[in-house]
Amino acid sequence: MADITFKIDNVDIKGKPGQTIMEAADAAGIYIPRLCTYEGLQPHGSCRVCTVFVNGRAQAACTQPIAEGITVDNSSEEVQQIRKDIIEMLFVEGNHYCMFCEKSGNCELQALAYRLGVLAPKYPYLFPKRDIDASHKDIFIDRNRCVLCGRCVRASQDIDGKNVFEFVDRGPDKRVAVNSEAKLSDTEIDVTDKAVEVCPVGALLKKRVGYAVPIGERLYDNKPIGSEIENKNQSS
Amino acid sequence: MGKPKVATASLAGCFGCHMSLLDIDDKILKLVELVEFNKSPVDDIKKFTERCAVGLIEGGCANEENAHNLQDFRRNCDILISVGDCAIMGGIPAMRNGIPLQECLQKAYLEGPTIYNPTGKAPNGPDIPLLLDKVYPCSEIVKMDYHLPGCPPPAETLWQALVALLTDKPLDLPYELIKYD
């Protein structure tokens, strides 16, 4: 089938039929910030961090398919502000103590805040009461840090074939629960499962491997999240 | 007129942010040329003696005294800056926010595994500032003008922010200097 031509920030982009805006942008070396989506998992469209304006309307780039002649706004102040607001809301909605979190420096939520230049959220902190499940011998869940991206739910279902996680309740009470009578230790989850690897924050972590990489050498210490996609463009 | 006045305070913090300020190394000599410190642990001035251009606040508000101190800073400073994660979001002390105060005191002074406390009571008296129901970020007590994140903020962040403010230039922190840990 013929390529589809469209514009991102006034630059002509060619994509293949069936691609989403994010897939086409990635291939062209243009980074669209994202949180809930993960390569290899079905797009979820829930975090809205990848919001772009398509012909003037807000859409999630991870689920919206490309179409001939559309114009995509990925960098205007308005789009950036929406993304920033979402990230700030995620920070105040949970209990994100970066100063002692094992994920700090490798955390996608934190890295997005760095990239978008968030010095402090403008919203009041909610300090919700969330629980921790450390019953499993190799893995623990800290729901204080969970951003409800659903990556673990999808990875466990679609890749691990185990169905360990699920969402329960709604609104502010929504949380990741485990599919068992009681605890994470009662499930079939294993430390090598994809579900453990995909958590963007420090909510689902392996035990006894924290703080292994020194400050200054972690994933996002020196280069912003998304630069691997942008650099792909420069080298090709 | 003289040099701009700077005041600093450590509320419910660990003094790590003040340490980071000292960590600007020999630039501290330049800083002393640029500004004069007023109320601050740096020079041990306990009360404001004149109006200050900049107030640097480390730590959130965990007790009555923290809150009053912060309000005092707001009254006496033109610009107030939250320095570090504790001032911005409460930090480590705010971990108690999900636990009722009574339970915290019970655990800390009566039930902990290493506690010897024959009085059987949590400390209480007119000299001890009353604890607040939770630890508040500074911006929930008074208006804060700027925020410098980090635990502590890198020395270079503090330096660049102060220089930008004192020379009336926009602050454009490079990527490496915005850190939350």
Side-chain angles (χ1 to χ4, degrees), chain A residues 26-54:
Chain A
D26 280 0
I30 295 170
Y31 175 68
I32 300 174
R34 67 204 62 179
L35 187 58
C36 72
T37 200
Y38 185 87
E39 214 178 326
L41 296 178
Q42 284 292 319
H44 203 226
S46 61
C47 74
R48 308 318 260 195
V49 171
C50 69
T51 294
V52 290
F53 284 106
V54 181

Side-chain angles (χ1 to χ4, degrees), chain B residues 33-138:
Chain B
E33 273 171 33
L34 276 173
V35 302
E36 191 181 309
F37 280 92
N38 199 273
K39 176 173 171 165
S40 167
V42 173
D43 52 16
D44 212 23
I45 296 179
K46 308 283 191 200
K47 284 191 174 138
F48 280 103
T49 56
E50 53 192 320
R51 189 158 183 85
C52 292
V54 182
L56 302 175
I57 306 293
E58 167 189 342
C61 292
N63 62 36
E64 222 184 13
E65 191 199 23
N66 295 151
H68 289 154
N69 203 354
L70 181 58
Q71 286 163 337
D72 192 30
F73 265 76
R74 183 69 277 180
R75 276 191 295 271
N76 286 285
C77 299
D78 296 337
I79 292 168
L80 266 195
I81 308 180
S82 310
V83 177
D85 294 338
C86 294
I88 290 173
M89 54 83 70
I92 304 274
M95 286 183 75
R96 77 162 158 97
N97 285 3
I99 306 162
L101 186 54
Q102 196 63 45
E103 254 176 65
C104 284
L105 291 171
Q106 192 87 7
K107 200 80 181 173
Y109 291 102
L110 303 172
E111 288 170 1
T114 57
I115 286 167
Y116 173 73
N117 181 2
T119 67
K121 283 183 198 153
N124 191 16
D127 298 340
I128 304 172
L130 272 182
L131 286 174
L132 301 176
D133 62 333
K134 60 172 193 162
V135 178
Y136 291 84
C138 290

Side-chain angles (χ1 to χ4, degrees), chain A:
Chain A
M1 268 194 284
D3 283 351
I4 292 173
T5 310
F6 67 105
K7 278 184 199 295
I8 297 180
D9 298 333
N10 285 324
V11 176
D12 278 325
I13 307 286
K14 276 193 196 322
K16 304 258 179 294
Q19 272 184 326
T20 62
I21 293 173
M22 186 180 286
E23 285 166 344
D26 280 0
I30 295 170
Y31 175 68
I32 300 174
R34 67 204 62 179
L35 187 58
C36 72
T37 200
Y38 185 87
E39 214 178 326
L41 296 178
Q42 284 292 319
H44 203 226
S46 61
C47 74
R48 308 318 260 195
V49 171
C50 69
T51 294
V52 290
F53 284 106
V54 181
N55 292 348
R57 288 183 57 166
Q59 301 282 4
C62 70
T63 54
Q64 184 70 18
I66 54 170
E68 188 66 39
I70 56 170
T71 60
V72 176
D73 167 10
N74 179 42
S75 63
S76 68
E77 212 160 292
E78 198 181 352
V79 164
Q80 301 284 20
Q81 193 58 50
I82 288 173
R83 294 169 181 165
K84 224 170 153 172
D85 289 350
I86 293 170
I87 296 296
E88 291 179 12
M89 283 191 268
L90 287 171
F91 266 98
V92 300
E93 193 188 40
N95 295 313
H96 297 280
Y97 294 93
C98 296
M99 62 291 280
F100 62 79
C101 180
E102 299 97 302
K103 193 78 173 188
S104 190
N106 299 312
C107 169
E108 291 180 40
L109 177 69
Q110 188 190 55
L112 282 165
Y114 289 169
R115 183 176 170 121
L116 296 168
V118 175
L119 292 175
K122 58 182 154 298
Y123 307 105
Y125 284 89
L126 298 182
F127 297 115
K129 203 170 161 50
R130 305 260 187 91
D131 63 358
I132 293 171
D133 181 346
S135 58
H136 194 280
K137 65 179 175 34
D138 298 318
I139 305 159
F140 69 93
I141 305 177
D142 186 344
R143 292 188 177 85
N144 289 292
R145 303 163 180 169
C146 182
V147 291
L148 303 174
C149 66
R151 283 189 190 177
C152 58
V153 178
R154 282 172 285 154
S156 185
Q157 205 163 50
D158 302 341
I159 297 178
D160 303 330
K162 290 185 180 173
N163 230 340
V164 170
F165 300 102
E166 60 183 348
F167 284 129
V168 294
D169 273 345
R170 295 174 71 83
D173 299 320
K174 185 173 175 178
R175 63 191 184 278
V176 165
V178 293
N179 255 336
S180 77
E181 284 295 312
K183 296 272 179 197
L184 195 59
S185 55
D186 304 328
T187 68
E188 292 177 340
I189 195 163
D190 188 80
V191 69
T192 55
D193 283 358
K194 192 74 179 169
V196 182
E197 186 192 315
V198 294
C199 183
V201 292
L204 195 54
L205 282 177
K206 294 173 188 171
K207 290 182 178 176
R208 298 177 295 275
V209 292
Y211 315 111
V213 183
I215 291 177
E217 293 172 24
R218 301 168 305 181
L219 212 47
Y220 305 118
D221 276 340
N222 303 307
K223 50 181 186 9
I225 187 169
S227 44
E228 68 285 356
I229 290 171
E230 291 163 332
N231 292 340
K232 200 166 62 183
N233 192 29
Q234 281 158 10
S235 58
S236 62

